[in-house]
Amino acid sequence: MDIINILPDSVANQIAAGEVVDRPAGAVKELLENAMDAGAKQIDLVLKDAGRTLIQVTDNGSGMSDSDARLCFERHATSKIHRSDDLFAIHTMGFRGEALASIAAIAQVELRTRQHDSELGTTVLIEGSHITDQHPAACPPGTTLAVKNLFFNVPARRNFLKKDSVEMSHIEETFRRITLIHHDIGFTLTHGGKMLYDLKAGSMLQRICGLFGQPMKERLFNVEEETDLVKIRGFVSRPEYSRKTRGEQYLFVNGRFIKHPALSAAVEKAYADLLPERSFPSYFIGLQVDPSRIDVNIHPTKTEVKFVDDHALFAILRSAVKRALGQFSLGTELEFDTPEEFNIAPAPKGYNPPQPRISYNPDYNPFRATPAQTKMDLHGGGGSPRSTASADDPRQMPEDDAIAMPHTDSMEQRTSAQCLQLQGRYIVTAISSGLAIIDQQRAHERVLFDRMMQGAESTMPHSQALLFPVNCRFSAADADMLGELLPDLRGYGFAIDPIGQCTFVVSATPPDFKENELQAFLDQMLTDYKGATMQKYADRSRSLCASLARQMAVKAGTPLSQEQMQQLVADLFACPMADTSPSGKRIITIVKPEEILK
Ligand code: ADP
Ligand code: MG
């Protein structure tokens, strides 16, 4: 008995569609690419319900003839290649002739198209691979393709779609990957009647700003290089604007977004040690290579690509980025190094520590430190005590010393004991069990954290409206998570609201919060939060408080007045877990009297 039969086209197309169009963003990509291949200079994308019910692309490109308007929905129908040799000189985005056939198999599609030299256009209606109508239509030159009710006949796929915000962020990412590199074409994106992007044709930098906001302009360096092998054009972020997550990293080859771990590594390598630990540069880099030097058999939904000359490309790209970074004298003004361990040189024999000459601010409250106060202290303090730090014979503090909890000390004694600041980061003071060496930043973190966890009204940070609200961008997943945390953050003095799928506007922060650190802070907070093993309420607030405390704590390198140090020490010793910071790092090391004697 024969059991093999040939699948009808509609079924074959539906199967193929599974590869090309797995979600609305897949259809968006194909339609935008077709419009670009048709030579359009303006392309408008309109969506409803994150593309579920409508994805419509209108272009002012070549348009199609009446019969092409039908033929384009056939499998392997393409005007872009004619013979296999053409595969080695691809200059268009598409060439497989699969996209429209696939989309028409799983949606209700309306095509309206007119060539520039025709008086009349044509409309074709097709659904589930069957043409249901075609008639002449009066329409402007170019093409409008509307995809309605995607997956209407594939319930399994329809049900597999994520909530609108997720589908929308996939679409926005697709939109960025296409529009970033095709900045000579105007694009708009409208969702549910609201225009989210209106990108005019212009330079790449203008396009980057159109997508990511105007502040990007000040954050980028230009990268340019031309060799026989490759032409490189693009932008990389200044090291101080690196991010805690690999967010805005875009590489393109011949107008196509690609993922290429080795080339990405080349860019990151160029930064070498200019970047703080675990932070990543943003980059937008287009490469132009001879099409015969790359593997053309690019899968429509995959972004991997193979180069014949990848070693040479790696070297060229790295040096181009390096040069872009090197043109500007960086490094000297950037201080990234925050050693984790205590490393204090003992005072030389017979050394008699002078009284610190440090300015005194009677109004100081460590939880309301304003930048102005910090600045004042920077000039007033930190003179003599630093001389001990430069003594020879540096020695590691013994780390295994048990911490004698100084509860035996009366409050009176503690607050009145003289403090000495070492290296701008340690406070040294006498307690009954010896000499306490306290990491000022961790100590302050602990104090702030405990206060926030107690939620004491008086110590809750107040809110301060920003003169210029700041936009922050996140990956789809991070944006979702941040959305969940917004009510909590409000409780700590932030006013953050979503605008667009992955962008949030911050209009208020706790006082003294540095605006330019907002993105970094929120990135770090989300990273911390992800790291928190459980997301029960208790852990959520723990994680938020720890992030906030870290952000707001007085940093190593900030000179403190005698009063400030005494206050901090007193507050620290009032904490039940004075010896470890919220993130589990050691705050105090005690040198016992016996050791001092030795
Ligand atoms: P491919 O892009 O791989 O050729 P598609 O299925 O995406 O395959 O499109 C089939 C053909 O339909 C294209 O080769 C092109 O000739 C025509 N076409 C599709 N979209 C447009 C458009 N917006 N304007 C003009 N022609 C188009
Ligand atoms: Mg195509």
Side-chain angles (χ1 to χ4, degrees):
M1 189 180 73
D2 299 335
I3 52 170
I4 293 178
N5 62 57
I6 304 289
L7 289 175
D9 274 355
S10 59
V11 178
N13 285 339
Q14 229 185 66
I15 295 170
E19 284 186 54
V20 183
V21 182
D22 55 342
R23 61 188 344 150
V28 167
K29 171 176 182 281
E30 295 298 335
L31 298 189
L32 292 179
E33 289 185 349
N34 279 349
M36 292 191 294
D37 285 346
K41 287 290 151 218
Q42 176 66 39
I43 301 175
D44 301 300
L45 169 62
V46 175
L47 305 161
K48 279 187 191 150
D49 304 306
R52 249 177 261 269
T53 54
L54 179 71
I55 300 168
Q56 177 184 292
V57 172
T58 300
D59 68 60
N60 60 359
S62 62
M64 283 180 262
S65 70
D66 291 3
S67 62
D68 279 358
R70 264 194 324 277
L71 203 58
C72 69
F73 294 109
E74 295 289 327
R75 209 133 161 244
H76 307 306
T78 179
S79 55
K80 299 167 193 175
I81 56 173
H82 297 279
R83 59 188 80 83
S84 71
D85 282 356
D86 294 344
L87 278 174
F88 300 95
I90 299 284
H91 291 285
T92 53
M93 303 297 289
F95 58 87
R96 298 168 153 251
E98 274 181 340
L100 292 186
S102 300
I103 291 170
I106 51 164
Q108 297 155 343
V109 175
E110 182 180 334
L111 168 66
R112 202 179 273 257
T113 187
R114 186 187 130 196
Q115 291 182 309
H116 287 251
D117 53 5
S118 314
E119 304 226 317
L120 213 57
T122 186
T123 292
V124 176
L125 299 180
I126 179 167
E127 79 175 61
S129 297
H130 299 292
I131 293 186
T132 56
D133 192 17
Q134 176 169 22
H135 55 260
C139 56
T143 303
T144 292
L145 206 135
V147 177
K148 296 175 186 166
N149 303 318
L150 196 66
F151 303 130
F152 80 103
N153 53 354
V154 201
R157 281 215 168 259
R158 200 168 60 233
N159 298 335
F160 197 67
L161 291 178
K162 298 282 194 314
K163 62 181 180 202
D164 277 12
S165 61
V166 175
E167 294 304 334
M168 208 42 214
S169 60
H170 282 286
I171 290 175
E172 282 191 56
E173 180 61 15
T174 299
F175 185 74
R176 285 190 289 271
R177 290 177 178 182
I178 288 174
T179 57
L180 266 171
I181 195 69
H182 296 280
H183 47 85
D184 52 333
I185 301 174
F187 289 90
T188 63
L189 192 169
T190 303
H191 182 214
K194 205 167 121 202
M195 192 179 280
L196 300 180
Y197 295 96
D198 181 4
L199 308 171
K200 306 274 187 267
S203 70
M204 186 173 190
L205 188 57
Q206 286 168 330
R207 182 54 52 90
I208 293 170
C209 292
L211 287 165
F212 298 99
Q214 286 305 317
M216 282 308 257
K217 205 160 53 195
E218 277 83 53
R219 301 182 180 180
L220 300 175
F221 287 146
N222 192 11
V223 181
E224 242 165 286
E225 180 68 87
E226 194 162 350
T227 71
D228 291 345
L229 208 59
V230 61
K231 198 174 152 199
I232 301 174
R233 282 176 46 242
F235 292 87
V236 296
S237 61
R238 304 167 75 107
E240 64 268 40
Y241 288 108
S242 62
R243 300 188 49 170
K244 290 289 181 201
T245 55
R246 270 200 179 80
E248 289 139 9
Q249 302 194 331
Y250 295 89
L251 262 186
F252 304 89
V253 168
N254 296 355
R256 238 179 250 280
F257 173 85
I258 58 160
K259 285 195 180 136
H260 197 288
L263 288 185
S264 302
V267 178
E268 290 188 8
K269 278 238 163 73
Y271 281 78
D273 46 11
L274 286 175
L275 289 179
E277 216 182 302
R278 276 181 287 117
S279 44
F280 306 97
S282 301
Y283 53 83
F284 312 87
I285 297 177
L287 311 178
Q288 207 69 45
V289 302
D290 184 335
S292 67
R293 310 298 287 177
I294 57 178
D295 178 358
V296 291
N297 218 353
I298 303 159
H299 188 277
T301 60
K302 297 228 172 81
T303 47
E304 280 81 20
V305 65
K306 284 199 198 112
F307 294 93
V308 180
D309 317 283
D310 54 357
H311 285 294
L313 277 178
F314 180 97
I316 296 169
L317 181 58
R318 187 180 58 175
S319 73
V321 174
K322 224 175 180 162
R323 200 149 39 79
L325 296 171
Q327 279 164 5
F328 306 84
S329 64
L330 302 157
T332 47
E333 52 190 288
L334 301 171
E335 208 215 317
F336 293 130
D337 180 42
T338 348
E340 285 302 321
E341 299 303 329
F342 290 176
N343 189 357
I344 299 171
K349 256 196 206 125
Y351 175 73
N352 184 20
Q355 283 296 308
R357 290 182 288 108
I358 297 178
S359 69
Y360 172 81
N361 175 4
D363 293 323
Y364 177 77
N365 169 344
F367 317 108
R368 300 259 186 281
T370 67
Q373 282 169 345
T374 312
K375 242 190 214 117
M376 184 186 78
D377 289 344
L378 273 172
H379 299 300
S384 314
R386 273 158 200 259
S387 58
T388 48
S390 58
D392 299 325
D393 185 26
R395 180 175 71 97
Q396 198 82 11
M397 287 302 300
E399 278 285 324
D400 51 356
D401 269 0
I403 304 289
M405 285 309 295
H407 288 299
T408 46
D409 285 87
S410 77
M411 193 66 159
E412 189 59 26
Q413 272 174 301
R414 265 181 266 126
T415 47
S416 58
Q418 279 292 328
C419 296
L420 181 74
Q421 193 179 26
L422 270 189
Q423 297 181 330
R425 38 185 316 209
Y426 305 113
I427 299 170
V428 183
T429 189
I431 58 172
S432 60
S433 52
L435 199 60
I437 302 168
I438 298 167
D439 182 305
Q440 67 186 43
Q441 179 172 348
R442 293 175 189 175
H444 197 197
E445 248 179 81
R446 163 55 69 192
V447 171
L448 289 174
F449 176 80
D450 280 23
R451 301 234 167 151
M452 285 185 213
M453 286 299 283
Q454 284 164 14
E457 239 303 293
S458 60
T459 58
M460 276 313 231
H462 296 298
S463 198
Q464 173 178 296
L466 296 179
L467 203 51
F468 301 104
V470 176
N471 285 2
C472 296
R473 294 197 47 82
F474 303 91
S475 68
D478 280 5
D480 268 9
M481 196 181 295
L482 184 59
E484 283 173 28
L485 294 174
L486 289 186
D488 304 73
L489 285 166
R490 221 156 273 147
Y492 295 112
F494 289 94
I496 306 181
D497 294 286
I499 48 164
Q501 298 303 319
C502 296
T503 308
F504 290 77
V505 59
V506 184
S507 48
T509 63
D512 314 321
F513 212 90
K514 293 208 192 90
E515 265 166 64
N516 59 358
E517 288 177 2
L518 257 170
Q519 178 86 54
F521 164 70
L522 291 171
D523 284 343
Q524 183 63 52
M525 184 203 73
L526 290 169
T527 309
D528 291 348
Y529 184 56
K530 275 178 262 182
T533 42
M534 298 204 293
Q535 305 208 348
K536 285 192 310 201
Y537 187 73
D539 291 288
R540 165 188 293 204
S541 48
R542 260 192 87 79
S543 167
L544 284 182
C545 287
S547 302
L548 267 170
R550 189 178 329 145
Q551 172 70 19
M552 299 176 73
V554 35
K555 298 293 178 296
T558 311
L560 298 177
S561 69
Q562 188 59 228
E563 165 83 351
Q564 289 172 327
M565 289 191 281
Q566 289 178 353
Q567 180 70 55
L568 183 53
V569 171
D571 290 340
L572 176 67
F573 286 155
C575 296
M577 286 188 36
D579 55 335
T580 39
S581 75
S583 43
K585 294 195 180 111
R586 184 168 190 170
I587 298 174
I588 312 173
T589 296
I590 292 175
V591 186
K592 299 203 193 86
E594 309 90 87
E595 285 174 288
I596 299 176
L597 269 175
K598 267 189 254 163

